[in-house]
């Protein structure tokens, strides 16, 4: 291992203040832990666009005025919002996933991994929250402005695309950023179905090393840092999209 | 005769006429509320027709019927050969709306787009005009409404009168066959009313068929070929501005136009 002297100095210093990072000098556990960080970052990078796109589709369905689109989405949003994500994840993995396995003739043929189920469940859960935020934004667009657009000859889809969504997105951005911050934290539910994100990897390490506090400090700093970045990006986008002379 | 209430049915069918809008026996209710109770109106190409009358008399609804934003329960509406009352599909109504411009009291500019983009968006997205051509037209129209220097401003940075002039330019960018104006100066302060009226005045002078719902009696008198007085969902009377404003024998009309001051309430900056 290169940098081993720096690493060893670090381990010795931490040991002096009572924190145990000895496992970093071993190959195996250090790799598990590093991969845990990468898996979490990978989950976040995937989940943010998945939740935003699905949220947009849900919001469009909810405000479409067509019951065959809005009713199923409304039902899904209610179930998703009102039940624990952990339970949804276990239900999806233990029931839906088994169902899929039976359909394709055995678990060995099932292409759906635990990682997939975390992305699907957390992504759609946050999408439901995005959809409600965007719906509020869409409904806040004055009806007279929508009528004016209709009077010019815009179709319902064009009004959504060019008038309602640009305004709704600006209005709902603070709520959406809040949801994204929640999303970052929610990736940790993956450990319930053995997705080796950072908390799962940490549990693997601390059950052997009994260094819970040492790892916990790193986990908390890690998530705080990501969410400070997410919140900062949100403010940056908000400023970027601000409309002069308009309240948003 | 531009407007022919009641006898409209007898004179027209089949004949090549230069009327562009023809409403026959229009009935429209919102729930239990009867808004229009048998309206007849004919507007000739190139004419300016002002619809006046007390609030709640159905003026705005009448205007909305012409571009299918409101659909009557009974009656025939013809706009330049199109039977508007028979348009059942939204796509057919969109085809009609492309040809009929409408400007509203509350301007309704898109606040997130610059003035230029507000005018460029409808022709590019609805008519499929390419961006360069739409932008060229938009700049000409901005010149026409005297706002060339505001092309890159946002609506929120403009005064009400300036926003309304942009809204008129936006309607003209669709190259409509006629333009409907729904109380376009009612939300403006007296000083800015004049600049909007000047734009409409120029438009009427250029021969654009215009139907205006308005409370600006003096302006209606000045620019209209015909003035229509509505009350309780019916056209009470119609005629030349002279007839309606000065020689009408109908006591209700005399009271209404007298109350609003057909003569003698010249606003500063309004011009003639």
């Amino acid at each position: 291992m290169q940098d081993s002297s720096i690493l060893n100095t670090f381990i010795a210093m931490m040991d002096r203040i009572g924190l145990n990072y000895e496992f970093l000098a071993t190959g195996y556990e250090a790799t598990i832990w590093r991969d845990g960080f990468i898996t979490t970052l990978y989950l976040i990078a995937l989940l943010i666009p998945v939740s935003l796109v699905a949220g947009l589709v849900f919001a469009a369905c909810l405000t479409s005025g067509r019951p065959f689109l809005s009713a199923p989405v409304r039902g899904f949003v209610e179930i998703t919002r009102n039940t624990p994500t952990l339970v949804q994840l276990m239900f999806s993995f233990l029931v839906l996933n088994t169902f899929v396995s039976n359909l394709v003739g055995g678990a060995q043929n099932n292409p759906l991994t635990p990682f997939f189920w975390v992305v699907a469940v957390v992504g759609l859960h946050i999408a439901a929250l995005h959809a409600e935020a965007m719906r509020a934004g869409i409904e806040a667009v004055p009806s007279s402005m929508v009528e004016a657009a209709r009077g010019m000859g815009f179709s319902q889809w064009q009004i959504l695309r060019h008038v309602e969504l640009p305004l709704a997105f600006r209005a709902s951005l603070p709520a959406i950023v809040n949801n994204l911050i929640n999303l970052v934290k929610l990736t940790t539910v993956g450990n319930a179905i053995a997705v080796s994100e950072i908390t799962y990897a940490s549990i693997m390490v601390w059950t052997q090393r009994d260094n819970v506090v040492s790892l916990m400090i790193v986990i908390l700093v890690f998530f705080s840092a990501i969410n400070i970045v997410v919140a900062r990006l949100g403010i940056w986008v908000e400023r970027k999209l601000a409309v002069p002379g308009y309240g948003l | 005769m531009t407007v022919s209430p009641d006898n409209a049915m007898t004179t027209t069918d089949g004949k090549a006429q230069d009327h562009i809008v023809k409403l026959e026996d229009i009935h429209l209710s919102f729930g239990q509320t009867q808004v229009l109770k048998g309206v007849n109106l004919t507007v000739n190409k190139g004419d300016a027709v002002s619809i006046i009358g007390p609030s709640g008399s159905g003026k705005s609804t009448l205007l909305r019927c012409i571009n299918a934003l409101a659909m009557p329960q009974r009656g025939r509406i013809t706009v330049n050969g199109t039977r508007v009352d028979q348009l059942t599909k939204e796509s057919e109504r969109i085809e009609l709306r492309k040809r009929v411009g409408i400007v509203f009291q509350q301007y309704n500019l898109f606040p997130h787009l610059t003035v230029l983009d507000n005018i460029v968006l409808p022709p590019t997205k609805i008519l499929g005009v390419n961006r360069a051509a739409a932008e060229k037209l938009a700049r000409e129209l901005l010149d026409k409404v005297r706002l060339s220097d505001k092309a890159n401003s946002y609506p929120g940075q403009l005064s009400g009168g300036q926003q309304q002039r942009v809204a008129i330019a936006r309607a003209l960018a669709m190259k409509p066959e006629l333009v409907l104006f729904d109380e376009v100066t009612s939300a403006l302060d007296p000083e800015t009313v004049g600049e909007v009226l000047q734009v409409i005045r120029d438009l009427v002078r250029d021969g654009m068929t215009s139907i205006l719902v308005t409370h600006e009696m003096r302006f209606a008198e000045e620019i209209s070929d015909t003035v229509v007085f509505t009350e309780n969902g019916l056209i009470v009377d119609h005629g030349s501005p002279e007839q309606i404003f000065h020689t009408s024998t109908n006591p209700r009309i005399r009271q209404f136009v007298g109350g609003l001051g057909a003569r003698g309430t010249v606003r500063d900056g309004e011009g003639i």
Side-chain angles (χ1 to χ4, degrees), chain B residues 27-270:
Chain B
H27 290 255
L28 188 148
S29 312
F30 294 120
Q32 293 297 307
T33 316
Q34 269 194 296
V35 181
L36 301 175
K37 304 168 185 170
V39 170
N40 295 289
L41 177 68
T42 307
V43 177
N44 286 340
K45 203 166 182 356
D47 272 4
V49 174
S50 294
I51 305 173
I52 63 169
S55 297
S57 61
K59 305 184 296 293
S60 293
T61 307
L62 188 61
L63 219 53
R64 280 166 170 72
C65 285
I66 297 171
N67 77 341
L69 281 174
M71 296 301 273
Q73 276 88 30
R74 212 171 94 201
R76 289 159 63 114
I77 305 170
T78 316
V79 173
N80 227 3
T82 305
R83 275 291 295 277
V84 177
D85 55 288
Q86 293 179 340
L87 303 179
T88 49
K89 292 198 202 103
E90 186 65 11
S91 61
E92 296 171 337
R93 292 175 190 169
I94 286 172
E95 285 308 309
L96 170 80
R97 289 174 192 144
K98 289 179 188 176
R99 298 159 39 204
V100 182
I102 185 162
V103 183
F104 296 89
Q105 182 178 340
Q106 290 300 340
Y107 345 123
N108 293 317
L109 296 178
F110 306 133
H112 59 294
L113 299 178
T114 61
V115 163
L116 189 70
D117 285 337
N118 261 283
I119 304 172
V120 164
L121 187 73
T124 51
K125 298 301 170 189
I126 301 169
L127 301 177
V129 176
N130 72 55
R131 166 91 201 181
E135 199 173 313
K136 185 167 172 290
L137 175 63
R139 290 192 188 280
E140 287 169 17
L141 290 168
L142 276 176
D143 201 38
K144 196 170 180 171
V145 300
R146 302 175 196 88
L147 286 171
S148 300
D149 55 327
K150 299 290 184 188
N152 297 318
S153 301
Y154 284 84
Q157 297 170 313
L158 304 184
S159 72
Q162 290 171 330
Q163 289 192 53
Q164 193 59 291
R165 284 186 279 157
V166 174
I168 294 171
R170 183 173 66 168
L172 296 178
M174 295 289 286
K175 297 189 174 157
E177 295 160 18
L178 71 153
V179 183
L180 314 173
F181 294 92
D182 188 8
E183 296 194 26
V184 292
T185 57
S186 298
L188 301 175
D189 67 77
E191 277 183 317
T192 50
V193 165
E195 64 193 37
V196 173
L197 294 185
Q198 187 56 46
V199 167
I200 299 174
R201 185 180 285 122
D202 293 347
L203 212 57
V204 169
R205 208 163 281 162
D206 293 348
M208 173 62 77
T209 310
S210 307
I211 306 176
L212 307 97
V213 167
T214 184
H215 290 309
E216 299 289 333
M217 297 300 138
R218 242 191 94 73
F219 180 69
E221 179 184 357
E222 177 207 329
I223 62 139
S224 306
D225 296 290
T226 304
V227 177
V228 177
F229 183 84
T230 60
E231 183 156 47
N232 293 325
L234 285 167
I235 290 182
V236 176
D237 200 4
H238 64 93
S240 68
E242 178 68 16
Q243 283 173 307
I244 297 295
F245 289 113
H246 304 298
T247 61
S248 177
T249 51
N250 185 318
R252 179 69 184 102
I253 295 178
R254 291 183 72 86
Q255 183 201 3
F256 185 79
V257 299
L260 281 156
R263 284 215 167 139
T265 53
V266 184
R267 281 176 164 145
D268 286 345
E270 188 177 329

Side-chain angles (χ1 to χ4, degrees), chain A residues 16-99:
Chain A
R16 215 165 299 157
I17 57 169
L19 296 173
N20 175 4
Y21 291 104
E22 274 167 17
F23 74 98
L24 287 174
T26 72
Y28 179 62
E29 288 165 305
T31 308
I32 290 179
W33 209 52
R34 187 202 62 200
D35 288 351
F37 284 112
I38 291 169
T39 304
T40 295
L41 289 172
Y42 190 35
L43 273 174
I44 292 167
L46 254 171
L47 274 165
I48 288 177
V50 164
S51 72
L52 287 173
V53 171
L56 192 62
V57 173
F58 288 172
C61 291
L62 285 174
T63 56
S64 67
R66 294 182 186 153
F68 72 96
L69 290 174
S70 60
V73 173
R74 171 53 54 203
F76 179 83
V77 167
E78 289 307 327
I79 290 173
T80 310
R81 280 198 307 186
N82 299 345
T83 60
T85 313
L86 186 60
V87 176
Q88 292 165 19
L89 185 66
M90 291 184 155
F91 172 80
S92 301
F93 187 63
L94 300 176
V95 181
L96 296 182
N97 192 53
T98 310
F99 183 69

Side-chain angles (χ1 to χ4, degrees), chain A residues 75-154:
Chain A
F76 179 83
V77 167
E78 289 307 327
I79 290 173
T80 310
R81 280 198 307 186
N82 299 345
T83 60
T85 313
L86 186 60
V87 176
Q88 292 165 19
L89 185 66
M90 291 184 155
F91 172 80
S92 301
F93 187 63
L94 300 176
V95 181
L96 296 182
N97 192 53
T98 310
F99 183 69
V100 173
S101 290
N102 291 343
L103 269 186
V104 296
Q108 71 277 13
N109 297 327
N110 187 346
L112 305 178
T113 59
F115 186 88
F116 164 85
W117 286 108
V118 174
V119 173
V121 170
V122 175
L124 293 180
H125 178 94
I126 298 295
L129 302 180
H130 287 334
E132 284 297 81
M134 289 188 214
R135 183 179 64 83
I138 288 170
E139 286 172 359
V141 175
S143 60
S144 67
M145 195 177 293
V146 174
E147 189 191 34
R150 230 155 55 86
M152 270 181 270
F154 282 106

